[in-house]
Each structure stands twice: as C-alpha cells, then as structure tokens.
Amino acid sequence: MTDTDTLRSTWLARVADAADAPALEEVRLAALGKKGEISGLMKELGRMTPEERQIRGASLNRLRDEIDAALRARRTAMDDAALDERLKSEWLDVTLPGRPRPHGTIHPVSQVMEEVTAIFADMGFAVAEGPQVESDWFNFDALNIPPEHPARQEHDTFFMARATGDNRPPHVLRTHTSPVQIRAMQAQGAPIRVIAPGRVYRMDMDQTHTPMFHQVEGLAIGKDISMANLKWTLEEFCRAFFEVPSVELRFRASHFPFTEPSAEVDIRCDWSGGQLKIGEGESWLEILGSGMVHPKVLAAAGVDSAEWQGFAFGMGIDRIAMLKYGIPDLRAFFDGDLRWLRHYGFAAGDVPSVSGGLSR
Ligand code: PHE
C-alpha cells in the first residue's frame, strides 16, 4: 500500500465518520485547509525533482479531488437528512377544514343607527351628541317645558339622586334627544343641520316600551326652512331607509311645547298576512314627532328667531328597526340573548358606509 492509499483510506474514513456539519468542516480544514495535511504535502512538491514532482503531484491532485468529492457528497447527504427531518416534523395538512371561530354580530340598533346616519349625511346633516345624564334645564326648560308643565309628568322621568341638603334642581336621565338641539345650537349657532342619535330613558315597560330606548333627533335651521322642507326630508329618508320606491307619510296635527306648529308622522303600511309591508296597504304606523322649532327654543339656545327658523323631529330608532327588520318584541332588543343576537344581528360587512341610495 502506498502512502497515498493510506492517506486516502484515513481521510475518507474521517469524512464518513463526521457526525454533523461542524465536524465535517473540521475534517475539511484538517485535510484541505491552508494548514491541512494534504495541502502541506502539496507544498513539498516544490522541493522535488521534475520527475518526482510529476508522479507525486498527479497522485496528490487525485487524492485531493477524491477527498473533496467525498466531503461534498457527505455534506449533501447531511443536508438531505436535515430536510427530511424538517419535512417530517413540520408537515401540514392544507386540506384540513378550518377551525371555526365564534364571532359576534352587529346589534340591529347599531345597524339602524349607521343606516340613518349614512342617509342623513347624504342630505348634509352632521352628527351631534349630548350627555345621557342631563340637567333639567336642557331636558325641559330650554325646550319650553317649564317646571309646572304637564309634559314633565307625561315623560315618566328618572331623576338622579341629590345629596341631602343639596337643593339644586335635579339632573335627569334625558327623556328624549331634544336637549341636543339646544347644545348643538349653543355650540354652533345658525345655520345648522344635525342629527343626534342616542339613548333616552323613561319609566315604562311593556311589549313596545323599555325604560331605555333610542331616538334620533333632527334639526335644520336656516333663513327660510319650512314645513315643506321637513316633509321632503322625511319622505326622502323613509324611501331610502325602507328601500321602497315610494312611501306615503301622513302628517297629523299634534302638540309639543318645543315646536309650533307640530305634527306627528305616520307611515302607510300593510299588515295583511302577518307580514309588514311599508308603502302600501290601509294601516298607518306612527314613527316620529316633528314641527317648526319654537321661537322660545331658539332664544334659549341663543339663536335670533327674527332671523332664523327651521324644523326639528324626533324618531324612534328601535321602532323603525322593528319595522324594517320584522322584529316583533322590543324588550328582546335589550335582553342580550345570544340566540336572538345571532338571528337578528348583522355581519360587520352589512353596515353601510356613507354613500348614495338617494335619487336627486
Ligand atoms: N322629543 C319628542 C319626543 O320625544 C319628539 C320631537 C322631537 C317632537 C323634535 C318634535 C320635534 O316625543
């Protein structure tokens, strides 16, 4: 056996024995690195005679190539094995069905508030807000309901408790969204066009009444805004909201301390067959109160009634939600029953963005 044969079997054995990539790299350096054994032997070629160098050089070159090939083959084998290992442990069945995740729904009241806001936004109404715990001045006095006025009793008001000895007039849970009229006009003056959706409270409970419910107030003040504008606005709203080509509204003379003249508005509908249809039939359903803003209300809000006038309305949001989506019992709105919410709730994608839907 020549010494080249010995070298070959030694180094090929070390290559085969290397357990992992770092060990294999050590073997490579020890054989073929700058200070490796084979490289050292090749340096000695310079000191040989041309004849010796020819024979020795050729066999050393072959030896180097063989060790190099063995190193590469071993390296590839190691990489393949590592990949196999990963493929085995990281295997993923992309054909498995997804795990269902429970998701919530949008409450019909939230849905309808968004719809209402989108439709009025198209008509140039901004959204205004006010507190739910309101002073009795904003809730009553400023709206031309003085302390002895019978409307205060009719409203079944919740009064906030005062500490004993605190004799200031009580705050109330607002009984309607109308105080937001005053707040919006005080903040912005005239002209103004706002709606104010929100919670209101009255001591009342049966199939069509809950102690908390929702209204949306509307207010439009300008130089020459009239009942005709009120009528058009409400008809246009109902047509867009109920998604019917035409609606018929009935304006019934009524009375509110804060509007003069005042009208309650009914919508034509059909109950036959137990299914409610809006815009046809022989029945009428009351959906809102409205009128021309009383000069005393303008004055309380700091708006000059010699120069400005306009309309206001207050609509029951829960009521129109029941009508549009055929929900029979108002009390269920606020029970938080998951089965009810899943049935009547909306997917997030159903909420309208502010956009068209009105013909002009
Ligand atoms: N605030 C009245 C109510 O709650 C509704 C209304 C608002 C009437 C604005 C006229 C004008 O019944």
Side-chain angles (χ1 to χ4, degrees):
M1 219 190 335
T2 67
D3 69 328
T4 335
D5 291 334
T6 317
L7 281 170
R8 175 182 297 109
S9 55
T10 311
W11 283 110
L12 291 185
R14 287 188 62 183
V15 169
D17 287 348
D20 52 20
L24 192 64
E25 178 63 7
E26 258 174 51
V27 175
R28 189 186 70 79
L29 288 173
L32 307 180
K34 262 193 194 137
K35 291 181 184 149
E37 185 175 14
I38 309 297
S39 312
L41 292 172
M42 291 183 103
K43 277 181 206 144
E44 286 169 15
L45 291 172
R47 279 183 264 125
M48 293 178 181
T49 65
E51 294 76 37
E52 279 176 330
R53 191 187 304 145
Q54 208 173 21
I55 299 165
R56 181 72 175 155
S59 74
L60 277 180
N61 271 342
R62 236 180 292 118
L63 178 59
R64 186 198 56 201
D65 290 349
E66 275 177 67
I67 295 173
D68 187 52
L71 282 164
R72 285 173 199 279
R74 181 90 182 101
R75 181 73 207 221
T76 309
M78 280 179 179
D79 288 350
D80 285 354
L83 185 63
D84 274 351
E85 203 49 46
R86 274 188 64 189
L87 285 174
K88 252 182 257 161
S89 63
E90 294 176 16
W91 184 79
L92 181 70
D93 184 354
V94 294
T95 66
L96 279 176
R99 293 190 198 103
R101 285 215 240 153
H103 50 82
T105 58
I106 308 288
H107 194 283
V109 169
S110 306
Q111 170 77 13
V112 164
M113 277 198 185
E114 291 297 329
E115 292 175 6
V116 168
T117 305
I119 294 168
F120 279 108
D122 264 4
M123 294 196 269
F125 286 77
V127 172
E129 280 180 318
Q132 295 175 41
V133 177
E134 187 56 283
S135 76
D136 66 348
W137 187 83
F138 276 107
N139 195 78
F140 294 123
D141 300 65
L143 291 163
N144 194 31
I145 313 176
E148 68 285 359
H149 197 286
R152 290 218 182 185
Q153 275 68 60
E154 281 163 26
H155 273 200
D156 307 313
T157 311
F158 286 106
F159 293 92
M160 306 302 286
R162 282 262 186 248
T164 37
D166 185 341
N167 293 321
R168 287 175 300 161
H171 275 64
V172 300
L173 289 179
R174 67 179 180 193
T175 57
H176 50 179
T177 43
S178 298
V180 187
Q181 287 186 37
I182 308 294
R183 291 182 174 275
M185 282 191 280
Q186 281 184 345
Q188 186 184 323
I192 187 172
R193 237 188 278 180
V194 289
I195 56 164
R199 296 180 167 186
V200 300
Y201 303 83
R202 291 181 202 176
M203 250 179 279
D204 214 348
M205 184 72 166
D206 60 33
Q207 196 186 340
T208 51
H209 296 91
T210 48
M212 186 282 296
F213 59 105
H214 300 82
Q215 287 187 334
V216 58
E217 194 80 5
L219 175 71
I221 303 291
K223 296 266 179 190
D224 52 10
I225 291 181
S226 70
M227 285 292 272
N229 300 124
L230 170 67
K231 191 160 184 280
W232 181 88
T233 303
L234 292 176
E235 278 170 357
E236 200 61 10
F237 165 76
C238 287
R239 218 182 45 69
F241 179 76
F242 290 109
E243 296 170 19
V244 289
S246 70
V247 291
E248 206 182 322
L249 297 183
R250 182 170 75 176
F251 284 66
R252 252 184 311 106
S254 182
H255 177 264
F256 299 103
F258 33 93
T259 46
E260 181 60 36
S262 304
E264 281 176 300
V265 177
D266 306 331
I267 190 166
R268 186 187 280 282
C269 61
D270 180 32
W271 285 105
S272 58
Q275 263 282 69
L276 179 67
K277 280 194 224 87
I278 299 289
E280 52 187 270
E282 296 308 316
S283 305
W284 296 93
L285 248 164
E286 185 193 323
I287 54 170
L288 62 93
S290 65
M292 297 301 289
V293 178
H294 197 290
K296 283 192 178 171
V297 172
L298 294 175
V303 169
D304 182 1
S305 61
E307 204 184 336
W308 304 99
Q309 63 176 37
F311 65 74
F313 61 84
M315 188 158 44
I317 289 184
D318 318 271
R319 172 66 70 90
I320 61 171
M322 292 169 79
L323 290 179
K324 180 167 179 179
Y325 295 112
I327 309 173
D329 190 336
L330 177 66
R331 287 167 300 191
F333 273 62
F334 311 116
D335 282 347
D337 186 324
L338 274 177
R339 293 162 302 180
W340 187 91
L341 290 166
R342 286 196 190 106
H343 182 79
Y344 288 111
F346 292 82
D350 292 339
V351 178
S353 52
V354 176
S355 74
L358 290 170
S359 65
R360 293 250 174 75

